[in-house]
């Protein structure tokens, strides 16, 4: 219902004030206050759960695109000891700039939790243990002793798009 009818290419939601407009008119929704990170947070949880029930790769394809395109983009790439430097919106309108420092907003709270998702959905196995799913391509190591398998992935993304798996 949401993807692709209310979704920008980065995975953000097309809508204003947490409300969807008409279906399939994404360009008409471009403004300063859309692509809210809390909506994306909920969509990540939903798509992950749907993948568990169906094993349909379209859910993890959306998950990966959104994790990198929206969640990674929602944190300012600098250090702070007093502020998580998260943005409430990842605006898509021309000339828009992200605003950071959302400690008192919902996106300040869910934004902190969402960044932990870079490690939570990398690998899954089927219920019977016969199939391994590699869902995210990011630096990680999987040790699966029951199958005698170890997989390591390395990358310097986003500064270098190349990666290796062994």
């Amino acid at each position: 219902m949401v993807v692709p009818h209310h979704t920008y290419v980065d995975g953000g939601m097309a809508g204003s004030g947490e409300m969807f407009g008409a279906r399939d008119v994404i360009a008409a929704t471009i403004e300063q206050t859309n692509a809210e990170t809390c909506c994306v947070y909920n969509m990540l949880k939903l798509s992950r759960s749907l993948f568990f029930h169906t094993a349909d790769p379209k859910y993890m394809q959306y998950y990966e695109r959104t994790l990198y395109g929206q969640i990674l983009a929602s944190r300012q790439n600098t250090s702070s000891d007093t502020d998580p430097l998260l943005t409430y919106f990842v605006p898509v309108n021309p000339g828009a700039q992200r605003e950071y420092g959302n400690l008192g907003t919902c996106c300040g709270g869910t934004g902190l939790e969402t960044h932990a998702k870079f490690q939570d959905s990398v690998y899954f196995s089927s219920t019977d243990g016969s199939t391994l799913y590699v869902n995210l391509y990011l630096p990680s190591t999987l040790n699966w002793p029951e199958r005698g398998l170890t997989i390591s992935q390395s990358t310097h993304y986003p500064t270098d798009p190349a990666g290796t798996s062994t």
Side-chain angles (χ1 to χ4, degrees):
M1 293 173 61
V2 176
V3 178
H5 307 289
H6 297 282
T7 309
Y8 298 116
V9 72
D10 69 353
M13 305 293 107
S16 181
E18 300 180 14
M19 303 293 288
F20 290 131
R23 189 176 154 120
D24 295 322
V25 290
I26 294 170
T29 67
I30 294 175
E31 60 180 65
Q32 182 76 22
T33 59
N34 52 0
E36 182 184 351
T37 55
C38 283
C39 299
V40 169
Y41 167 87
N42 291 325
M43 286 295 292
L44 288 177
K45 290 176 76 169
L46 177 62
S47 62
R48 184 177 188 271
S49 293
L50 288 169
F51 178 77
F52 282 150
H53 290 286
T54 67
D56 188 330
K58 71 181 181 183
Y59 296 114
M60 290 314 291
Q61 181 183 21
Y62 168 79
Y63 190 100
E64 181 179 42
R65 176 172 39 116
T66 305
L67 191 66
Y68 285 123
Q70 183 82 13
I71 300 305
L72 184 60
S74 72
R75 186 173 187 294
Q76 191 172 17
N77 191 18
T78 189
S79 296
S80 173
D81 293 333
T82 59
D83 192 321
L85 301 169
L86 301 168
T87 186
Y88 193 92
F89 299 104
V90 180
V92 295
N93 62 316
Q97 294 183 346
R98 293 177 220 145
E99 296 177 13
Y100 298 94
N102 293 293
L103 283 172
T105 67
C106 60
C107 290
T110 57
L112 292 173
E113 181 182 337
T114 301
H115 284 271
K117 293 189 181 309
F118 287 103
Q119 63 190 8
D120 104 335
S121 298
V122 181
Y123 305 100
F124 294 126
S125 68
S126 60
T127 306
D128 65 2
S130 65
T131 305
L132 174 66
Y133 298 97
V134 180
N135 294 313
L136 300 173
Y137 297 97
L138 50 85
S140 59
T141 299
L142 168 72
N143 293 310
W144 194 2
E146 298 83 9
R147 299 294 298 261
L149 181 66
T150 299
I151 295 177
S152 293
Q153 298 184 75
S154 62
T155 182
H156 295 286
Y157 185 84
T159 57
D160 180 2
T164 59
S165 295
T166 56

